[in-house]
Amino acid sequence: MASISHSPAGFVGTSASDLLRSSSNGVNGIPLRTLGRARFGGSSSSTTTRRDSRVVAKIRKVKKHDHPWPDNPDPNVKGGILTHLSHFKPLPENEKPRPITLEFEKPLINLEKKIVDVRKMANETGLDFSDQILSLENKYQQALKDLYTHLTPIQRVYIARHPNRPTFLDHVFNITEKFVELHGDRSGYDDPAIVTGIGTIDGRRYMFMGHQKGRNTKENVKRNFGMPTPHGYRKALRMMYYADHHGFPIITFIDTPGAYADLKCEELGQGEAIANNLRTMFGLKVPIVSIVIGEGGSGGALAIGCANKLIMLENAVFYVASPEACAAILWKSAKAAPQAAETLRITATELCKLQIADGVIPEPLGGAHADPTWTSQQIKNAINESMDELMKMDTEELLKHRMLKFRKIGGFQEGLPVDPKKKVHMKKKEEPIIRTSNLNIEDEVKKLMQQRLNAKESSVELPESDVNEMIEKLKREVDREYSEAIKAMGLKDRLAMLREEYSKVNLQDQLMHPVLKDKIEKLRDEFTQGVSASPNYETLKSKLDMLSELSKIKSASEKNKKSATLKQAVNKKFVEIMNRPDIKEKYKALEAAIENSAGQDLDHELKEELVKMKKEIELELAGAIKSLGLDVEVVKSKAKEISEQIPLDVKVKVEELNEEIKGEIENVIKSTDLKDKIELLKLEVAKAGNTPDVASKNRIAALEQQIKQGLAEAMNSSNLKEKHEELRAEISKTIESSAGLDGSLENQFPKEDGSTYDEQAVEMNVGANRSFA
C-alpha cells in the first residue's frame, strides 16, 4: 500500500476525473502530473513558495495465495489442466469414509472374519491354508450372490442411500475424457447440491447436470445432503437453455431424497422453480437421458428427470414419497416402511414393468460402491446406446417421443380382459347405495300385507318371492341404519378392529378367545344402551318392526306349509300301518269279538286285547312319526294328556323336584370343569354354523357326551334319585287308578332309546346351553 504526504495546494487545478482515474497512471487515485507539481513546484516566480512533498510506500504482509492447482500442473492429465480448477478432488486418507455394513449384510461379517483369521494364522505360522481360504471365499461369494439376488424393496432403498455409494461427480470423472464444471444461476447464488458442466464421452460433447451428495459428513453439509434449493434448479435451467442453444445433448444424474423444503426455499419459490423446469424440459430440442444412480425423491428428482429415456441402476429407487413417510401416513408408524416399500413398487424392475423406467443398469454384487469403476463403465455403455438411438430422431420426432413417454404412464384401455394377478389386488366394485325413504318402505309393506290378506280371503296363494324380496330389502336398509347409528355413536373404529380380530380367528381355524368374546359383549351392551340416543333411532326401530312383522308372516307361512306336508305324510303312514295284513287281521278279530258280545260289558281279557292292540298301533305309528322328526311333538302331546290326570299336590311335588334338580345341576356346573366344557361346546357350535362338517359334528357329539356323563354321575351321587323314584311311583299309581288298567309309567310311556330320567334332564340342560346357536 502507498501513502502520500502533500500540501493542499498540490491539488489545485486537479479535475474530478483525474482523481477517479485508475492507478495505472500513478499512485491509486492521484495523477502523476499532480505529484510532479507538488514535488518541484509549478513556476519559477519568486512569489511562489516552494513546498516539500514526499511519497512513502508500505508493503502489507499477506498470506500466500493458495491456488486450486499445483505449481507444476501436468499438461497430460485426464480432462486437461482445467480439471485442477474443480473443487471435487480425491479425498485425503484421513477423510475417506470407512466401510459400512448394512443391517441385512451382517450375516456376511462372520465369513469375512473367518477369512481374515485364517489368513492371519497362515502368516503367523507359515503353514499353507490356501484350500481353506479358497473354500471360505467361495462360501462368501455364494452367500453374497444369494443375498443380492433376492433383495427386498426396502433393502434396495438402504443400498441406494449407502454413504459410500458413488456420487454424480464420481461417475462423471470416470466416464468423461474432459469435463469443465459451470457455476451459478446468474441470480446471485451457486447451489452446490446441483452440479452442471460440459464434458465429452468418446469425442461427443454433452451437457451434464445432476444432484451431488457428499462423500463424508463435511461434504454432505456443504452439499446440503443432495437436496437442492431453488437456485440449484435455476442453475440447471440456465444450462438447459445453454445446451439447447448450442445443440448439446443433456445427461442428468438423479440422486436426491427430495428438494430442500425449508422456509427460505419456499419464500424463494421452490415450487415455481421445479414447475418451470418441468415445463421447459418438454420443449427442449435436444435428446435428454436421465439416470437414477441412487434415490429419486418426488418433484426434486423429476425437476431434472423429464427425459426421453429414464434409466435406473439396479439398486436405485424412484418414488413420490419415501417408504418411511408413506408408512407414517397410511400405517401411522414408520416401522411399516418395509410393507410400504413393497406396496409403492419403487424399484427399477417394478418401474420397468410399469413402463416408467426404460432400462436397468446392472450393479456388481454388494452394490455400486463395491466397484464404482465397473458401475461407471456400465453407465457409459447405457448412455452411448441411448444417445445413438435418440440422435437419429429429428426435432419433431424427439419432442413427440418425450411427450408420449409420459402420456402413456398409467394408461389403460377399456374392454380388454384384466390379468388375473392384477385383478386380485384391484379394489372390488362397490354397489351404489340406493336410499329409500321410510314412508316409501312403509307403503310397500302395507301394500304387501293387504295383498296377502286379500289372497287369504279368496283362497289364492300369493307367491313367496314378493315377501322374500321385501325382507331382503328391509335387511339392507336395517344394516345401513345400524351402520349410521354406529358411526354417530363413535363406535365405527372399534367395530372395525373387532371384525379384523374375529376374521383372523376364523382364518386360523381357532376358537374365540374369552378376551375377544368379552370385547364383543361389551361393545354390544354399549351399543344397546346408547342406540336410543342416535339421530336415526326412530327410523331404525320402524324398519326393525316391519322386518319382524314380515319375518313372522314368512315363518307362519313356512310352518303352515310344513304342517300340511307332515300331516299328509302322517296320514299316509297311518293308512300304511292299518293296511298291513297282520294289523288288519287283528283288527277284524277284535271287531268280530266286540260284535259277538251283543251289547254286554266287555270282559277283562277282551279289554286287555284292546289295550294291547292300541299300544301296538301306537308304537308302530310312533316309530313312523319319529322318522318324520315329530317325536318331540308327540311326547309333548302325551305329556299334556298325563298332566291332566295327575292331581294338583303331585304336580306341586313335580315342580319342586324340577327346581331342586335344576339348582343341583347349576351347582355341579359351577363346582366342576363342566362350565369350561359347556363354553367350549358353545364356541364349537357357533364356529360350525348351520352347515357343520364331519369333524365339527364329532367334536360337538364328544363334548355333549362328556357333559351328559358328568351331570349324570353328579346326579346319581345325590339323594335326588331317591326322590325321583318315589315321585315316579306315586305318579304311576295315579295314572293306573285313573285309567283302570294294569300298567306302569314305563308301560304307558316306554322309552325306546333306553335312557333314564336323569339322562333326559341332562339332555334338556345341554339343549338349553346350545340354544344360543
Side-chain angles (χ1 to χ4, degrees), residues 63-186:
K63 185 179 179 182
K64 185 179 179 181
H65 185 68
D66 185 15
H67 295 286
W69 56 84
D71 295 332
N72 53 345
D74 184 2
N76 299 318
V77 71
K78 182 182 177 182
I81 297 178
L82 288 177
T83 303
H84 295 292
L85 296 175
S86 174
H87 297 288
F88 189 81
K89 298 180 178 64
L91 289 173
E93 288 296 329
N94 59 344
E95 294 185 12
K96 285 186 177 180
R98 296 179 180 179
I100 295 175
T101 303
L102 299 176
E103 187 69 28
F104 65 90
E105 294 177 325
K106 287 185 177 178
L108 300 174
I109 295 179
N110 295 331
L111 286 173
E112 288 182 348
K113 287 182 178 178
K114 287 182 180 179
I115 294 172
V116 172
D117 292 341
V118 173
R119 283 178 176 167
K120 184 178 179 181
M121 187 183 299
N123 293 332
E124 291 176 353
T125 60
L127 299 176
D128 184 13
F129 290 101
S130 57
D131 293 339
Q132 289 82 349
I133 293 173
L134 182 62
S135 176
L136 287 173
E137 287 179 345
N138 290 335
K139 285 183 179 179
Y140 177 81
Q141 290 298 325
Q142 186 61 41
L144 185 67
K145 183 178 179 181
D146 292 341
L147 179 63
Y148 272 83
T149 51
H150 300 89
L151 290 172
T152 62
I154 194 64
Q155 289 173 347
R156 294 191 187 275
V157 172
Y158 296 149
I159 295 173
R161 296 172 179 170
H162 199 287
N164 298 343
R165 194 170 177 85
T167 63
F168 162 53
L169 287 176
D170 285 318
H171 291 302
V172 166
F173 284 117
N174 283 336
I175 66 178
T176 58
E177 295 88 23
K178 296 180 181 180
F179 177 77
V180 178
E181 184 177 346
L182 303 176
H183 297 270
D185 63 347
R186 296 299 183 266

Side-chain angles (χ1 to χ4, degrees), residues 9 25 52 91 129 171 193 213 231 243 277 390 468 473-474 588 592 657 662 701-702 721:
N25 292 331
D52 293 332
L91 289 173
F129 290 101
H171 291 302
K213 288 184 177 180
H231 300 288
N277 281 25
L390 297 174
N468 295 335
K473 187 175 181 180
L474 278 171
K588 288 182 179 179
L657 183 60
K662 188 176 179 181
K721 188 173 182 181

